Amino acid sequence: MELLAVFAPFFAFLIAGLFGKQIGDKGAQFITCAAVILAAFASISLFFSVILTENMVNGEITTILTTWISSGDFKVQWALRVDQLSVVMMCVVNIVSACVHVYSVGYMSHDPHKSRFMAYLSLFTFAMLMLVTADNLLQLFFGWEGVGVASYLLIGFWNHKHSANAAAQKAFVVNRIGDFGLALGIMATFVVFGTINFTEIFASPEQYAQATMHFLGYDFHALTVICLLLFMGAVGKSAQLGLHTWLPDAMEGPTPVSALIHAATMVTAGVFLVARFSPLFEYAPTASMTVTIFGATTAFVAATIGMTQFDIKRVIAYSTMSQLGYMFFALGVSAYSAAIFHLMTHAFFKALLFLGAGSVIHAMSNEQDMRNMGGIWKKIPFTYVMMWIGSLALAGVWPFAGYFSKDIVLEAAWADHTWFGHYAYWMGIAAAFMTAFYSWRLIIMTFHGAPRASEKVMSHVHESPSIMLTPLLVLATGAIMAGGLFYGGFVGSSYSHHKPEHASAASHAEIAPAAGDEDHATHEDSTDEQNVEHKPSQSAGMINLWSRDYFWHNALFVLPENDTVEAAHSVPFWVKKLPLVVGLLGILAAYLIYMVKPGTSSVIARLTKPLYTLFFNKWFFDQIYHALFVKPALCIGRLFSASDKSIIDRAGADGFAGFSGRFAKTLSKFQTGFVYQYALVMIISLICIVSWFVFKADPSFYMPADMYHALPSSPDAVMEGGAP
């Protein structure tokens, strides 16, 4: 089943890519869509097989395909690792990709290169599947780079646009920076562990908890170095602060590409990488702290930028960046299951928002600026409802999926009881307010108010075809139900509601209902300090089969003292409810500013001009990078270019070529066509040749008499000391 789930998109890519002209656009669309839908159903079947099968509780299943590299003692196999983490990612990737494939049939109906586009989508899907099913770091790196190549092809798909080409190049170059760190991390892992196979690396990481390695001239904690280098790769791929600048520019690609990149592939790769290496991060607290700080700061900064943008796709893009920040600070506080839970729910509602935005753009004749929209909700009611569902899930409103996943992330950050955990919580709370605000700012500016588009555009506003709307319905179902349905398995308590008789309050606090309870919670009188110290032992209470321990088993590793997800169920009531409260306040603020008093936004922008300018210009990251890196690189490039032209080319190949040309041109002047001139040249040449031989045979012919007579009579005379 895993072979079907992984390789079906690959064979679809080969057929559509190599034989697109032969089978036609419709044939390519049918094959790619059918293959990815088949892979999605195979992933779902595999999910239930892995999660519910008793023998899978004891570990993963590895399907060895072939030996990839065999060099001395270094052997790398091409294998598919199937465990709880990989099947969750496979379901997310294939389900979202299937919706995007079907949606693309309608969205790209007028594009002349439909077969090539569908082939690229399938290649993207296959590369991500190879990444999440990797059994070793080299195979993971193969999928990692494969996703990068596919993103370059898709972002720059409309290559007739300079902006699209520039965006594709930017994404490729920026990701190479992060990938360099990942490559170093793979090398460092091999140096420390002597292997790159996951099973061997994760078998006993505690043995290397105190190991050191010599790096950059100093001795460092080995696991910290490895984890930080791996995280550097994640920063680039998942667009965290510092290497995030490629993500908004990637909106130059077609909208289905944006949905696939932001919801299910590429940007989620970094989250998966850190979660996969949870056994190492648990023994590298400095690296975990770094992940938390980066994630929390990214969530806040991206949310501030999202509030000031007017391109509908860029607003959602910065929302993705912000939500990825949530996932990373959850990883940093050891709430790995909460991070993957939010990744899963986010994939549904973020894909829904992107495809909904694509439906709006399609209806508005390719208009993307929200300032040129408005007054269209009655003309596209289905899209309007879908955008509402996606926005409610994003804002974390009950009972939508984002409520369950975002809240448990924030609760786990608080339950960590470290300064950086609390920093992440408050940054997340601020981001939650801004997320709700810009989500409803988008809804109001796009659908409500007086129409701001031209009469010609408004006359053509219409609902998208059913082939574009059906995937929205599938994603909306996930955005509504995924949170409550999977809460217990992903992040629920490992224990029943029965409090052990002999358990102390410090180690055995009562846990909330595993799934569906909007409070996520438990007794309000128990303190979080009582739950963060120790994880309850399994003997203390009844095991909940639909719980994290049963669901994840060995796929994720958490030290008992770091189990913040368990402790999160007993944080104070206000910690649980504050995200929902600030989310509702954000919605109310957007309603008052853009609906009740529409001119208020301009007044606020004027009153907070320095701050607004900072946010609108994206914290000037692009300008700073242009000044620090782009301009110096261009100057160095021009210097080398000038040196190449003036020295190497002029004195080298071009110099010889030029000299030959000039010499030949000079000689050509002697080609007059007159026989007497040719005869004269021949006579002069003959005289010169004869003279040379005569002069060489008889020196007396050209030397003075005194010098001639002074010459020795024979060579032997010179050897015997004769006259020189």
Side-chain angles (χ1 to χ4, degrees):
M1 191 65 70
E2 61 269 21
L3 295 176
L4 181 61
V6 173
F7 286 99
F10 176 69
F11 288 112
F13 155 70
L14 291 179
I15 295 172
L18 298 177
F19 306 104
K21 291 184 179 179
Q22 287 77 11
I23 62 178
D25 291 337
K26 290 189 179 297
Q29 290 171 337
F30 175 79
I31 289 174
T32 52
C33 289
V36 180
I37 291 172
L38 187 63
F41 279 108
S43 300
I44 295 171
S45 175
L46 195 64
F47 173 84
F48 286 105
S49 175
V50 169
I51 299 300
L52 301 179
T53 302
E54 290 289 339
N55 60 10
M56 272 300 300
V57 177
N58 297 320
E60 73 282 351
I61 296 175
T62 302
T63 303
I64 300 175
L65 302 178
T66 185
T67 299
W68 189 5
I69 299 175
S70 181
S71 178
D73 295 333
F74 183 73
K75 291 180 172 57
V76 179
Q77 292 178 324
W78 188 10
L80 302 180
R81 182 186 182 94
V82 179
D83 60 5
Q84 289 82 353
L85 178 60
S86 61
V87 295
V88 169
M89 294 299 299
M90 290 167 68
C91 285
V92 170
V93 172
N94 278 326
I95 292 173
V96 174
S97 182
C99 292
V100 170
H101 274 71
V102 174
Y103 180 92
S104 299
V105 174
Y107 191 87
M108 302 295 289
S109 60
H110 301 294
D111 194 275
H113 307 292
K114 291 184 280 291
S115 60
R116 180 163 61 90
F117 180 78
M118 301 302 291
Y120 289 168
L121 287 181
S122 296
L123 175 63
F124 205 155
T125 305
F126 169 71
M128 190 65 187
L129 291 169
M130 289 303 301
L131 194 160
V132 300
T133 58
D135 190 49
N136 56 75
L137 278 166
L138 195 60
Q139 186 180 332
L140 182 144
F141 193 73
F142 169 77
W144 193 274
E145 294 302 313
V147 171
V149 171
S151 70
Y152 174 80
L153 296 172
L154 286 169
I155 295 170
F157 182 77
W158 286 329
N159 51 40
H160 59 276
K161 298 166 57 180
H162 173 73
S163 57
N165 292 325
Q169 293 172 10
K170 189 175 185 178
F172 196 81
V173 172
V174 172
N175 273 278
R176 297 292 73 74
I177 299 172
D179 294 355
F180 177 70
L182 176 60
L184 291 179
I186 294 173
M187 298 174 193
T189 303
F190 183 76
V191 169
V192 174
F193 291 90
T195 180
I196 58 173
N197 185 274
F198 290 164
T199 302
E200 298 173 15
I201 295 172
F202 301 153
S204 54
E206 66 277 0
Q207 296 180 4
Y208 301 91
Q210 304 302 323
T212 60
M213 66 180 302
H214 197 69
F215 184 70
L216 298 177
Y218 299 93
D219 290 326
F220 294 99
H221 183 236
L223 295 186
T224 299
V225 173
I226 292 172
C227 290
L228 288 177
L229 289 172
L230 295 177
F231 177 62
M232 182 178 175
V235 168
K237 196 68 72 180
S238 294
Q240 293 299 281
L241 199 65
L243 296 179
H244 68 281
T245 54
W246 68 269
L247 191 64
D249 289 0
M251 298 302 99
E252 291 293 336
T255 300
V257 174
S258 304
L260 195 56
I261 289 177
H262 286 245
T265 61
M266 194 153 179
V267 296
T268 61
V271 179
F272 168 80
L273 175 65
V274 177
R276 175 62 83 194
F277 276 81
S278 57
L280 271 60
F281 277 89
E282 285 297 284
Y283 293 99
T286 302
S288 296
M289 179 184 68
T290 304
V291 173
T292 305
I293 296 171
F294 260 86
T297 307
T298 300
F300 177 82
V301 171
T304 61
I305 300 172
M307 291 195 301
T308 60
Q309 301 303 300
F310 293 101
D311 187 304
I312 187 172
K313 289 173 63 177
R314 287 180 180 262
V315 173
I316 305 174
Y318 280 108
S319 170
T320 299
M321 179 180 164
S322 181
Q323 297 305 307
L324 286 168
Y326 278 90
M327 300 174 204
F328 273 103
F329 75 66
L331 295 169
V333 298
S334 298
Y336 306 103
S337 58
I340 300 300
F341 185 40
H342 193 48
L343 184 154
M344 185 267 293
T345 61
H346 173 264
F348 286 108
F349 61 73
K350 186 52 55 71
L352 176 62
L353 286 171
F354 265 113
L355 297 187
S359 183
V360 172
I361 296 169
H362 183 269
M364 295 292 295
S365 303
N366 297 320
E367 179 61 66
Q368 295 185 195
D369 195 325
M370 296 186 298
R371 291 170 292 188
N372 298 327
M373 300 180 184
I376 62 172
W377 73 273
K378 291 183 179 179
K379 296 190 175 185
I380 48 174
F382 187 88
T383 300
Y384 178 62
V385 172
M386 296 296 104
M387 292 293 286
W388 259 87
I389 293 173
S391 297
L392 287 168
L394 177 61
V397 177
W398 186 88
F400 297 90
Y403 169 80
F404 297 93
S405 60
K406 184 187 289 187
D407 283 19
I408 193 65
V409 165
L410 290 168
E411 292 160 13
W414 180 270
D416 190 55
H417 285 287
T418 57
W419 69 265
F420 51 86
H422 285 182
Y423 169 79
Y425 178 82
W426 290 113
M427 288 293 99
I429 289 294
F433 172 84
M434 290 183 284
T435 299
F437 177 84
Y438 65 65
S439 296
W440 256 257
R441 173 177 176 265
L442 185 149
I443 291 286
I444 295 169
M445 291 187 69
T446 302
F447 295 99
H448 293 278
R452 295 180 295 275
S454 65
E455 293 184 4
K456 182 180 179 181
V457 171
M458 292 300 297
S459 64
H460 291 90
V461 175
H462 60 282
E463 192 65 90
S464 300
S466 58
I467 197 165
M468 293 174 60
L469 299 180
T470 302
L472 298 183
L473 192 61
V474 175
L475 295 170
T477 303
I480 296 172
M481 300 179 61
L485 184 63
F486 292 102
Y487 181 84
F490 277 74
V491 296
S493 173
S494 301
Y495 302 92
S496 69
H497 306 300
H498 300 289
K499 195 171 184 177
E501 293 181 2
H502 303 290
S504 67
S507 59
H508 303 297
E510 188 172 342
I511 306 301
D517 184 18
E518 67 178 51
D519 292 339
H520 295 215
T522 143
H523 283 274
E524 301 166 11
D525 57 350
S526 61
T527 62
D528 37 47
E529 289 86 354
Q530 293 173 331
N531 291 278
V532 73
E533 298 286 341
H534 306 285
K535 181 180 178 180
S537 64
Q538 293 190 359
S539 61
M542 296 175 60
I543 299 296
N544 183 358
L545 295 182
W546 189 241
S547 66
R548 286 181 299 120
D549 289 345
Y550 185 86
F551 189 96
W552 293 110
H553 195 61
N554 292 329
L556 299 174
F557 177 79
V558 183
L559 292 172
E561 61 269 24
N562 294 341
D563 193 0
T564 54
V565 175
E566 190 71 35
H569 295 287
S570 300
V571 296
F573 179 79
W574 68 267
V575 174
K576 296 175 178 294
K577 294 305 179 183
L578 188 59
L580 176 62
V581 172
V582 298
L584 294 175
L585 289 175
I587 295 173
L588 178 61
Y591 175 77
L592 294 175
I593 293 173
Y594 290 96
M595 285 286 287
V596 179
K597 295 185 177 181
T600 308
S601 60
S602 301
V603 176
I604 296 175
R606 286 196 303 271
L607 293 175
T608 59
K609 189 175 181 179
L611 201 60
Y612 180 85
T613 303
L614 177 67
F615 296 165
F616 183 77
N617 288 282
K618 298 165 285 189
W619 291 65
F620 295 100
F621 272 100
D622 286 328
Q623 292 85 342
I624 293 171
Y625 284 4
H626 186 79
L628 292 180
F629 303 111
V630 178
K631 288 182 69 175
L634 288 174
C635 291
I636 295 172
R638 293 191 187 99
L639 177 63
F640 278 103
S641 178
S643 303
D644 181 68
K645 292 178 180 178
S646 61
I647 300 175
I648 299 175
D649 288 347
R650 185 173 296 177
D654 291 348
F656 283 112
F659 173 77
S660 300
R662 291 190 296 271
F663 184 71
K665 187 176 180 180
T666 303
L667 289 179
S668 67
K669 295 178 180 180
F670 293 94
Q671 300 288 337
T672 62
F674 296 108
V675 177
Y676 66 86
Q677 289 185 347
Y678 297 155
L680 177 62
V681 172
M682 292 174 66
I683 293 172
I684 294 172
S685 301
L686 183 61
I687 293 172
C688 292
I689 294 172
V690 172
S691 300
W692 167 255
F693 283 103
V694 171
F695 291 169
K696 185 178 180 181
D698 189 5
S700 65
F701 192 80
Y702 61 91
M703 294 182 66
D706 54 345
M707 293 182 63
Y708 175 77
H709 291 298
L711 291 174
S713 59
S714 67
D716 295 336
V718 178
M719 299 298 295
E720 294 172 2

